[in-house]
Amino acid sequence: WTTNSHPHHKYLLFFSMGSAYQFHSWRVFVVVCALPCVCAVVALTFMPESPRFYLEVGKHDEAWMILKQIHDTNMRARGQPEKVFTVNRIKIPRQLDELVEMESESGNPVSKAFFRIKAEVHGIYLNLMKCFNYPMQENMMRLAIVWFTLSFGYYGLSVWFPDVIKHLQADEYASKVQIHINERIEGFTFNFTLENQIHKNSLFINDQFINMKLKSVTFIDSTFRNCYFDDVTSVGSIFRNCTFVDAFFFNTDIDESKLIDGTEVVNSTFTHNKTGCQMTFDDDYSAYWVYFINFLGTLAVLPGNIVSALLMDKIGRLSMLGGSMVLSGISCFFLWFGTSESMMIFMLCLYNGLSISAWNSLDVVTTESFPTVRRGTGFGFCNALCKLAAVLGNLIFGSLVGITKAIPILMASSVLVGGGLVGLRLPDTRANVLM
């Protein structure tokens, strides 16, 4: 018997979300995802540089103009457009090019480049160390804890949610399986779909399987005599310890990978076998659900963004930060009682809607906690810590999928509630004047 399978054959999957439009290639999906980044790059070209940058490169007039625009915009928003922009005192940072020239009077390009890199790295290191010195040391540690716990819980659950929902779907699907034992079918034509079935100790004689699909069908200890298979697609279907005698296979995807556990093929012919992946999203909605569930979760953050934007100054940064994290942790605990797919999706949307307010307020608190000379370094360190926590969350929560619900739920609830309580101890920066 012969087969014509190509394990390295490249194939495409089409993706449909119930509309007339379909994604026929992963490249289209990548392009669509990249469009917001392209728009952001274009929008950046219309934004002015920061006044500090202009001062560092010696463009003082441009710096004054940007500061005046910021002042006038803020005063109009406060209802005081008559206020005049004035500067009482300004400290001009020393330009790095001057330091390079002082280091290398000869102006050697290699030495200037080396010293520039060395000076930048040394400056970043000193700035980072100053973030952990008095009087910022305590606040920096609290910010680090809040960033780590919020990121660990958020990104960990973002991996855990879709896989748990997928397991619930698989369990529900498996509970509906149809089992057929010791059946004898002779001279019958199968030209329809068989789905989610188990056939054990069955005998098929002179049967025809024409233009049909086998979806999640398992044949165990079954025998096929003088059977004809034409244009058959088997998705998630296998033959365990079966016997094929005088069978003919034409234009099917049944090959040695699906004939397992001692399956014997006697005097049978395989010709024009299908190659590549025969699965479509009509056959398996698991990939569709991954995107759709994430879409619902992302859509749920819209109300949280609106609420945080409108109430940030009214209820305070810390109240919103701590309250959102504590409520997110409490909502995680109720996942313990989630036994259905719809309930888990609802809890995912609730969790995302609550946690986005914490992210927004944390960004504001972090920005307002540092002086200008250390703001970029401090915020960058917190973001690096955030990425580290996200990686750990993905690894830890991902390893627990399908094993237990208790550990991920308790872990996420405890870190979010703990981080929220620490966030309430941060200093209130609402009335701070940025320096």
Side-chain angles (χ1 to χ4, degrees), residues 67-79:
L67 287 173
K68 186 177 184 303
Q69 291 177 14
I70 296 173
H71 171 271
D72 293 345
T73 302
N74 290 338
M75 290 303 105
R76 282 194 300 269
R78 292 183 179 182

Side-chain angles (χ1 to χ4, degrees), residues 120 136 180 255:
E120 290 283 3
M136 299 183 59
H180 305 273
D255 55 22

Side-chain angles (χ1 to χ4, degrees), residues 145-171:
I145 293 173
V146 175
W147 274 94
F148 187 91
T149 54
L150 182 56
S151 178
F152 182 82
Y154 181 83
Y155 289 105
L157 285 178
S158 67
V159 172
W160 187 73
F161 263 118
D163 282 328
V164 167
I165 294 173
K166 182 179 178 181
H167 275 269
L168 289 174
Q169 290 175 331
D171 293 340

